[in-house]
Amino acid sequence: MNPATPHHGDSVSRKISRISFQVEKVQYLERPPFFKMDPLALKDHDIWFVTQGKGRLTIDGREEEAEIKPPGELFLFKPGQKISMGSTSGH
């Protein structure tokens, strides 16, 4: 690659370096076995870290079954998405 020619990754890096955010709320929640969360339309970005469990996650009407095992999985949701979830086991 010619050093004088910009690389696509360079422009992405510059854009990412300008991203800023503010954390408004942090929570730690433990859910009981077989819980269900009613649908919720998000007003802001949400980041969820799920450590373990088996259940269903519905995003904008599309339902997925998931089994999360330690160390867990990270989910990022954007404003306007309608989400609901529930566990299908006691673990």
Side-chain angles (χ1 to χ4, degrees), residues 1-72:
M1 174 189 301
N2 180 346
T5 305
H7 182 262
H8 175 67
D10 295 337
S11 64
V12 171
S13 295
R14 281 194 298 275
K15 289 177 184 176
I16 290 174
S17 69
R18 293 190 305 248
I19 293 174
S20 65
F21 61 92
Q22 176 180 336
V23 175
E24 293 188 16
K25 180 171 69 172
V26 175
Q27 292 180 300
Y28 174 82
L29 303 171
E30 287 190 35
R31 300 295 188 191
F34 304 104
F35 89 97
K36 181 169 174 43
M37 181 185 95
D38 292 330
L40 169 70
L42 297 177
K43 295 179 183 177
D44 299 302
H45 285 90
D46 265 30
I47 300 173
W48 295 1
F49 180 68
V50 179
T51 57
Q52 65 182 349
K54 188 173 182 179
R56 291 188 181 91
L57 174 64
T58 304
I59 304 171
D60 294 332
R62 196 178 101 230
E63 185 176 285
E64 298 284 337
E65 294 225 13
E67 183 171 0
I68 311 297
K69 296 181 179 180

